[in-house]
Amino acid sequence: MSTAALGHLVGYRLPEGTFTITEHDNRLLSEAVETAAPDDGVAHPAFAYVATQRGVGIGIDEVFRLAECPMDDGPMLGSTDLEFAEPLRIGVAYRVRGEIVDIRRKQGARIGTFDVLTIQEELVDERDVAVAVIRNEFILPRRQD
Amino acid sequence: MEMEIPGDLGPWVVDAVRPDNMRLLAQALADPNPIHLDRDAVRQLGLGDRLINQGPANFAYVLNMLRDAVPGAEIRGLRVRLLSNVFEGERVEAAGKVVSVDEDGDERRVECQVWLDAEGGRRAIEGTATLVSAPG
């Protein structure tokens, strides 16, 4: 299997979904990353990652499966680019939309052949404003190639 | 009130990355990746014998550092590369430095270099961040 064989994935629009950050979610995430959850209605900014991953209408494991990389192969996050128009808020029902924007074959000294899968997602509020845009590059090991 | 922008940001420290927090984050992310939950899975992939912290946790530490270092500023951007894994039990330190401050109308834009170092000074994350605050 080569990147060319997966090229059809570029431009694939992930099924849309929604995500509402609850106070419970915010406390759980804040505890997991060793910080306090302030009581001001603002969610931890890492929710740009969490809310897009959970809210979009397809699981991240299924996205990796589309790219022929099951979870057992150890896909990993390689880079993240977050942009915020404003802070994320608890209780807002964000629409989540996303797209596979690139997949590229590479070689690394440590892990050998791998693909870089780039996904861009947005959290869109009730005014139709994309309040957060996230672009993630995932490293997909290709150990058998 | 004028907000003071320090030149050096952090450090913000986790003394030992905890497996129970990896389980919590896996739950928050709905992410079943076994390298965060199952030491046998880590061994089978040849990645060592300790659980591997989630990448989003590592950049969340950098976000925590920014929120603590410049309280009241809004985080408008974070661009990071994840350079090496962080393992259970490791001490990590998030820090950064301000590289420019620009007044732009009714806001002050602060550009920063940021990083997360693990044991032995191994760099786990590096990148840049953009903060916005009221003008000084």
Side-chain angles (χ1 to χ4, degrees):
Chain A
M1 181 245 319
S2 66
T3 300
L6 295 171
H8 65 282
L9 291 177
V10 175
Y12 173 72
R13 291 189 180 278
L14 308 181
E16 279 197 26
T18 60
F19 193 84
T20 303
I21 304 165
T22 66
E23 288 189 14
H24 175 263
D25 287 331
N26 195 43
R27 279 196 303 273
L28 184 72
L29 175 76
S30 299
E31 184 179 345
V33 299
E34 307 255 2
T35 192
D39 189 21
D40 59 0
V42 172
H44 194 286
F47 267 103
Y49 187 97
V50 175
T52 49
Q53 178 156 314
R54 282 186 53 190
V56 79
I58 182 171
I60 190 66
D61 52 341
E62 187 60 30
V63 174
F64 292 151
R65 201 170 296 125
L66 287 173
E68 301 183 17
C69 181
M71 275 294 186
D72 287 348
D73 284 0
M76 283 187 280
L77 184 63
S79 75
T80 289
D81 183 339
L82 300 170
E83 297 293 335
F84 297 95
E86 58 188 55
L88 299 178
R89 300 204 168 272
I90 291 166
V92 175
Y94 292 108
R95 281 191 294 124
V96 186
R97 58 191 183 204
E99 180 179 353
I100 294 175
V101 294
D102 195 27
I103 185 163
R104 194 173 298 262
R105 176 64 44 97
K106 292 197 171 182
Q107 292 283 332
R110 262 188 314 133
I111 67 168
T113 304
F114 61 98
D115 285 330
V116 180
L117 176 72
T118 307
I119 300 173
Q120 180 164 310
E121 293 168 299
E122 297 175 337
L123 294 176
V124 180
D125 71 7
E126 68 278 7
R127 300 165 299 172
D128 207 29
V129 171
V131 295
V133 179
I134 182 167
R135 192 178 178 96
N136 292 314
E137 290 186 340
F138 293 96
I139 308 298
L140 310 183
R142 303 299 192 191
R143 297 172 202 286
Q144 74 280 21
D145 287 5
Chain B
M1 184 180 71
E2 184 171 334
M3 182 183 296
E4 185 178 343
I5 307 290
D8 292 324
L9 307 173
W12 187 95
V13 175
V14 175
D15 286 323
V17 172
R18 292 163 41 186
D20 54 339
N21 281 343
M22 294 186 208
R23 282 192 291 277
L24 267 185
L25 189 58
Q27 185 184 336
L29 284 166
D31 180 352
N33 194 328
I35 64 174
H36 314 304
L37 305 168
D38 179 355
R39 293 182 187 88
D40 287 339
V42 180
R43 286 187 202 100
Q44 284 166 17
L45 289 167
L47 297 172
D49 55 8
R50 290 184 289 172
L51 298 177
I52 296 172
N53 203 26
Q54 286 97 339
N58 297 340
F59 72 70
Y61 301 152
V62 174
L63 293 166
N64 292 346
M65 178 276 293
L66 290 168
R67 293 204 305 179
D68 281 7
V70 196
E74 279 186 20
I75 297 171
R76 288 289 174 86
L78 180 75
R79 297 156 293 277
V80 290
R81 289 193 307 142
L82 288 77
L83 302 175
S84 64
N85 290 328
V86 169
F87 297 93
E88 64 175 300
E90 280 201 292
R91 180 182 192 276
V92 293
E93 189 172 298
K97 68 178 179 182
V98 171
V99 295
S100 69
V101 179
D102 293 307
E103 304 274 343
D104 181 16
D106 59 354
E107 65 181 25
R108 181 163 50 170
R109 197 172 184 86
V110 182
E111 300 292 340
C112 317
Q113 291 180 342
V114 295
W115 57 85
L116 180 76
D117 286 343
E119 285 176 5
R122 189 179 78 255
R123 186 134 298 181
I125 278 185
E126 71 179 13
T128 60
T130 304
L131 308 177
V132 167
S133 71

